[in-house]
Amino acid sequence: PKMKEERCVQAALLCLGVLCCSQGLAAERARPSLHGHRDRGKEGQVLHRSKRGWVWNQFFVIEEYTGPDPVLVGRLHSDIDSGDGNIKYILSGEGAGIIFVIDDKSGNIHATKTLDREERAQYTLTAQAVDRNTNRPLEPPSEFIVKVQDINDNPPEFLHENYHANVPERSNVGTSVIQVTASDADDPTYGNSAKLVYSILEGQPYFSVEAQTGIIRTALPNMDREAKEEYHVVIQAKDMGGHMGGLSGTTKVTITLTDVNDNPPKFPQSVYQMSVSEAAVPGEEVGRVKAKDPDIGENGLVAYSIIDGDGMDMFEITTDYETQEGVVKLKKTLDYETKKSYSLKVEAANVHIDPKFISNGPFKDTVTVKIAVEDADEPPVFLKPSYIFEVQENAASGTVVGKVHAKDPDAANSAIRYSIDRHTDLERYFVINAEDGNIKTIKTLDREEMAWHNISVFAVEVHKQHQEAKVPVAIKVVDVNDNAPKFAAAYEAFVCENARSNQQFITISADDKDDSANGPRFIFSLPPEIIHNPNFTLRDNRDNTASVLVRREGFSRQKQDLYLLPIVISDGGVPPLSSTNTLSIRVCGCDGSGSLLSCNAEAYVLNAGLSTGALIAILACIVILLVIVVLFVTLKRQKKEPLIVFEEEDVRENIITYDDEGGGEEDTEAFDIATLQNPDGINGFIPRKDIKPEYQYLPRPGLRPAPNSVDVDDFINTRIQEADNDPTAPPYDSIQIYGYEGRGSVAGSLSSLESATTDSDLDYDYLQNWGPRFKKLADLYGSKDTFDDDS
């Protein structure tokens, strides 16, 4: 390789220089000199010792030498060496015997290993000459230094393999971007092995680098981030001052252009078309617009606003900063029939503006937004939000109250039908004409019963029943003077027997159900026929009250204890109404101060009737009679009810319980069989206990047992035949329960609970002797032989 050839040339030149130097040193003789130290002999004479002289062939060794033979570093030679081989040279110190070896006869020092100056630049060694035979030092030790001479064997290395840097776009030429630094391990004090020069390999013509400092700078003006944002630059550092033969190293630098606000926002189109239904509510989104700004971050923020147009009052625009869009929203309710389209002029402007680029033009843009209003199927609309009508009470049925009117706001203008919400007119006082909305009465109204009627009226499109509107209608019932005034209360007047003439004893007032216009003021008077009543007189107080006065003196309860005074009351209506109300006036006894003592007239008439004791005796007798009646009824109810059910009773189940327990089958005297006989059966009619038959059944004669018969078997057979032959009997029979149970029965228990087993040892053959009624049981429980015989 080329580098190896260069190193060989350098080594050859260096060896030539070393050879010349060693020849000059070999010709130089060491001159003896005194050390200021004298050795005295035995006789006291002063002996002078001459200074030793070393002959140095070489003081340094080239690093990285790769020749076939060890490198001669230098040669030791003492002045006292006569060449007879009696002097032995010894080498000690750093690397002695390992790296450096010496020929003890000739004193030549060789390097046995390849040296690297970057690992160690010099070695300190000690040389000494001794007698070969006695090892006595002939010269004191002497130090010398072997330096490793540098060669250019290390390329430059950058501190980082990759660098990252930023620079604003549109920066001026020469703007510093970043400084890169490389280092060289070679000796900077020897030659140019460590002298570095920087150059750019990739990245032109956008960037440049200073050769001595490694500073990267911009090389082109107006670099645009929106065109290209990232650049990759390769920087080289070369030693030997950049000359041929030098070693080099490279690094990669990634340079990013940062954004500046150098682009205004632009709408991609000049007109936006949008539409919105007239049924949309305020706040609903209509559409979106977006102005494109290639800048990023704060430099790309755009704010939207409406600056002109006939829809400024109907619409508004907000900015969605996440998507950088302008959101057009409805501000007020629309009406398709009033206006079908609107136009807006929307502006988009940058929020943050860089003054350095203000000359690029206004950083804003405008666009026209046209919004079409779509027709929606709207419900009918009443001309008024509510209606108030008046109608006189007692008006005839069919009287017109008022008229409501609604219209279809849509362009179709559909016909409207009206109806009354019957939940608001439960009594059905009104009816509405479905065609024209006229409301009429269908009942007579009474203001005193209900002064106001609040109803609701529906308006529905004929062809679209789901589109309806509702309006409240208040109907006031106007008062008519149809109620005459009456006493305000049920007055009870009392006058003393000793009352004085013209003495007032009561004040009355009136009440009228009509409105105030037809009620007060009230006028009180006496009827014309008794206007000159000898006992009492009336005075109208003109404040809707009247006072009743005594006209004469001296009243007597014995003669007359009650007076009825008719009073006429008229109201202030047009025309006025009046009524005659009767005031009851009772004559009472009073003391001297006018306080009532008694208004009862019985004190004067008790002698003519019964005394108090007689009345008490009569009441006592009445109470005693009542007690006797109650006791009689109670005793009557405690009697036993008859056991026989008669025909008029409808008994579903007749259960007769007997508490008399007999003595078993052998007892024939303890029980009276007559209690089992039905008296009705004796008379020829046996009623059903579970149902009431539709017609009577007459049993066949001769089947009924004798009244005094005690043969139970005959009695039961008779009842069974009657039941089987009864055409009115249902498929079920009445249940008769008899509490007839005795002791000592030969049959024992008839229960079949324990008879299911096949190995039962019970003998039921005796059932054959019980008669035809027990034949079924005898067949079931009798012995097998008997069963076979029967079959």
Side-chain angles (χ1 to χ4, degrees):
K2 183 178 179 180
M3 185 177 296
K4 187 174 291 184
E5 293 177 359
E6 291 177 356
R7 290 184 178 180
C8 291
V9 172
Q10 292 176 2
L13 293 175
L14 186 59
C15 290
L16 183 60
V18 170
L19 181 60
C20 294
C21 183
S22 63
Q23 289 177 355
L25 290 175
E28 182 182 291
R29 304 285 300 181
R31 294 175 294 174
S33 61
L34 298 177
H35 279 261
H37 173 75
R38 294 190 176 126
D39 294 335
R40 296 182 179 270
K42 294 180 180 180
E43 292 80 7
Q45 63 181 9
V46 178
L47 297 178
H48 297 280
R49 186 182 64 179
S50 60
K51 183 178 187 281
R52 61 157 169 67
W54 293 100
V55 179
W56 298 99
N57 292 337
Q58 200 166 354
F59 296 97
F60 56 89
V61 61
I62 299 176
E63 68 169 334
E64 303 292 347
Y65 176 73
T66 57
D69 299 323
V71 179
L72 180 63
V73 178
R75 182 177 183 183
L76 296 178
H77 185 74
S78 177
D79 291 342
I80 62 175
D81 186 5
S82 59
D84 55 3
N86 293 325
I87 296 179
K88 180 182 180 180
Y89 296 97
I90 298 174
L91 184 66
S92 62
E94 297 174 343
I98 299 174
I99 299 176
F100 302 102
V101 296
I102 189 170
D103 187 346
D104 58 355
K105 292 182 179 180
S106 62
N108 291 333
I109 302 173
H110 290 82
T112 62
K113 294 184 178 180
T114 301
L115 302 181
D116 188 358
R117 188 202 67 84
E118 285 71 40
E119 291 184 3
R120 188 158 189 169
Q122 64 182 19
Y123 298 86
T124 303
L125 299 173
T126 302
Q128 190 175 17
V130 299
D131 187 282
R132 185 178 293 274
N133 297 321
T134 63
N135 287 330
R136 181 176 62 86
L138 301 177
E139 293 290 344
S142 178
E143 285 187 355
F144 64 95
I145 296 175
V146 178
K147 290 187 177 181
V148 181
Q149 185 177 354
D150 181 53
I151 64 172
N152 190 19
D153 60 341
N154 290 281
E157 294 182 358
F158 284 92
L159 299 179
H160 303 286
E161 185 177 353
N162 292 288
Y163 289 85
H164 295 273
N166 298 323
V167 64
E169 63 173 332
R170 308 283 182 183
S171 296
N172 296 326
V173 175
T175 301
S176 174
V177 179
I178 191 175
Q179 182 178 14
V180 294
T181 304
S183 61
D184 197 320
D186 293 327
D187 189 359
T189 62
Y190 178 78
N192 294 327
S193 298
K195 185 177 182 182
L196 304 181
V197 175
Y198 298 94
S199 62
I200 184 169
L201 299 182
E202 295 180 16
Q204 298 101 338
Y206 307 105
F207 300 95
S208 63
V209 64
E210 292 183 356
Q212 306 302 324
T213 62
I215 297 176
I216 301 175
R217 299 181 183 274
T218 57
L220 279 182
N222 298 324
M223 283 192 292
D224 191 4
R225 184 199 67 84
E226 288 72 35
K228 186 175 182 180
E229 183 176 7
E230 191 174 82
Y231 294 85
H232 299 285
V233 179
V234 177
I235 303 297
Q236 181 189 64
K238 191 173 184 180
D239 58 14
M240 299 300 292
H243 294 90
M244 184 179 297
L247 304 179
S248 64
T250 60
T251 187
K252 185 178 180 180
V253 182
T254 301
I255 301 176
T256 303
L257 298 182
T258 58
D259 185 63
V260 297
N261 191 11
D262 58 340
N263 294 282
K266 291 290 183 183
F267 284 103
Q269 58 197 68
S270 58
V271 178
Y272 283 87
Q273 298 285 349
M274 300 179 183
S275 62
V276 60
S277 172
E278 65 173 330
V281 297
E284 187 172 332
E285 181 178 326
V286 178
R288 294 188 173 215
V289 297
K290 184 175 183 179
K292 295 184 177 180
D293 191 332
D295 297 322
I296 59 175
E298 288 187 350
N299 300 320
L301 294 180
V302 179
Y304 298 88
S305 61
I306 299 175
I307 58 175
D308 198 6
D310 58 359
M312 293 183 65
D313 296 334
M314 305 300 295
F315 301 92
E316 61 183 355
I317 191 168
T318 59
T319 303
D320 186 346
Y321 285 104
E322 291 186 2
T323 61
Q324 290 299 300
E325 292 176 320
V327 183
V328 180
K329 296 182 179 180
L330 183 63
K331 191 176 180 180
K332 295 181 180 179
T333 304
L334 301 173
D335 185 10
Y336 172 82
E337 289 69 29
T338 303
K339 189 172 178 62
K340 296 180 175 58
S341 64
Y342 294 89
S343 178
L344 302 174
K345 190 174 183 180
V346 177
E347 179 184 80
N350 276 137
V351 178
H352 303 283
I353 299 177
D354 193 338
K356 294 186 295 184
F357 302 100
I358 196 68
S359 59
N360 290 4
F363 282 78
K364 56 186 176 181
D365 193 17
T366 58
V367 71
T368 300
V369 178
K370 293 184 178 181
I371 304 174
V373 181
E374 297 178 347
D375 188 19
D377 191 8
E378 300 175 273
V381 177
F382 283 94
L383 299 185
K384 294 181 180 180
S386 62
Y387 292 86
I388 299 177
F389 299 129
E390 291 183 355
V391 61
Q392 284 190 344
E393 66 174 328
N394 302 326
S397 176
T399 302
V400 176
V401 176
K403 180 179 181 180
V404 298
H405 183 68
K407 66 176 183 177
D408 182 11
D410 299 323
N413 195 17
S414 301
I416 305 299
R417 292 293 180 267
Y418 303 93
S419 62
I420 294 177
D421 183 2
R422 288 305 171 188
H423 293 90
T424 60
D425 185 26
L426 296 176
E427 300 295 331
R428 294 184 177 268
Y429 286 104
F430 306 97
V431 68
I432 190 170
N433 190 308
E435 304 291 337
D436 57 14
N438 275 321
I439 301 175
K440 297 180 181 180
T441 61
I442 54 177
K443 286 184 179 180
T444 302
L445 304 179
D446 186 359
R447 189 204 69 85
E448 288 71 39
E449 183 179 334
M450 186 180 294
W452 285 88
H453 293 267
N454 296 307
I455 64 175
S456 296
V457 175
F458 289 114
V460 182
E461 294 183 19
V462 175
H463 302 293
K464 299 174 183 177
Q465 298 294 328
H466 64 281
Q467 294 289 7
E468 68 175 12
K470 187 177 182 180
V471 68
V473 178
I475 301 173
K476 180 181 180 182
V477 182
V478 180
D479 184 47
V480 174
N481 192 16
D482 58 346
N483 289 279
K486 296 180 180 179
F487 280 153
Y491 292 107
E492 291 186 5
F494 302 93
V495 63
C496 295
E497 289 179 309
N498 56 357
R500 298 186 304 274
S501 178
N502 293 327
Q503 180 181 352
Q504 175 183 336
F505 59 89
I506 190 173
T507 299
I508 60 175
S509 63
D511 188 15
D512 196 329
K513 293 182 179 180
D514 293 323
D515 196 4
S516 58
N518 293 315
R521 111 169 162 81
F522 298 121
I523 300 174
F524 300 87
S525 62
L526 295 177
E529 61 271 14
I530 61 167
I531 193 169
H532 299 293
N533 187 295
N535 300 316
F536 306 100
T537 184
L538 184 71
R539 182 181 67 213
D540 192 339
N541 297 327
R542 299 184 180 276
D543 59 354
N544 296 325
T545 63
S547 300
V548 182
L549 300 90
V550 177
R551 173 168 273 185
R552 66 179 178 85
E553 296 180 358
F555 290 91
S556 175
R557 282 182 289 173
Q558 290 82 3
K559 293 181 179 180
Q560 186 174 352
D561 63 346
L562 181 66
Y563 292 88
L564 300 177
L565 179 66
I567 299 175
V568 178
I569 308 175
S570 301
D571 59 20
V574 180
L577 290 180
S578 62
S579 65
T580 301
N581 300 265
T582 301
L583 177 66
S584 299
I585 304 173
R586 186 173 294 279
V587 179
C588 301
C590 303
D591 57 12
S593 62
S595 300
L596 295 177
L597 294 178
S598 174
C599 296
N600 196 345
E602 292 178 355
Y604 298 95
V605 296
L606 282 176
N607 295 330
L610 296 175
S611 64
T612 304
L615 290 175
I616 294 174
I618 293 173
L619 290 175
C621 292
I622 294 174
V623 171
I624 293 172
L625 290 174
L626 288 176
V627 170
I628 294 173
V629 171
V630 171
L631 290 175
F632 179 77
V633 172
T634 303
L635 292 175
K636 209 47 176 157
R637 289 188 177 180
Q638 287 180 353
K639 286 184 178 181
K640 256 188 174 180
E641 303 231 351
L643 297 176
I644 304 303
V645 180
F646 295 96
E647 178 182 357
E648 60 270 17
E649 295 178 349
D650 184 11
V651 180
R652 296 297 176 185
E653 182 177 4
N654 185 16
I655 299 175
I656 302 175
T657 303
Y658 302 96
D659 295 331
D660 186 7
E661 185 173 354
E665 291 180 344
E666 299 174 356
D667 187 1
T668 58
E669 297 178 356
F671 181 72
D672 186 6
I673 195 62
T675 57
L676 297 177
Q677 297 175 353
N678 192 338
D680 294 332
I682 300 175
N683 298 329
F685 174 71
I686 303 175
R688 297 293 300 176
K689 304 303 186 295
D690 46 2
I691 63 169
K692 195 169 186 178
E694 297 180 358
Y695 60 90
Q696 294 183 355
Y697 162 69
L698 297 177
R700 291 179 295 173
L703 295 179
R704 183 169 59 252
N708 297 326
S709 176
V710 294
D711 190 350
V712 179
D713 189 15
D714 294 340
F715 173 77
I716 293 176
N717 287 332
T718 303
R719 296 299 297 268
I720 291 175
Q721 290 179 10
E722 290 176 355
D724 292 339
N725 297 322
D726 189 356
T728 63
Y732 50 86
D733 297 325
S734 300
I735 298 176
Q736 299 287 349
I737 298 176
Y738 302 97
Y740 177 61
E741 181 179 358
R743 293 187 302 273
S745 175
V746 204
S749 174
L750 296 180
S751 172
S752 61
L753 293 177
E754 298 179 356
S755 62
T757 57
T758 57
D759 55 351
S760 174
D761 55 353
L762 297 179
D763 185 8
Y764 295 100
D765 292 339
Y766 58 85
L767 295 175
Q768 299 291 335
N769 303 322
W770 282 22
R773 291 186 292 108
F774 298 95
K775 184 177 184 303
K776 189 65 175 177
L777 289 174
D779 294 341
L780 291 174
Y781 294 95
S783 63
K784 187 174 185 303
D785 298 334
T786 307
F787 180 80
D788 295 336
D789 296 340
D790 294 341
S791 61

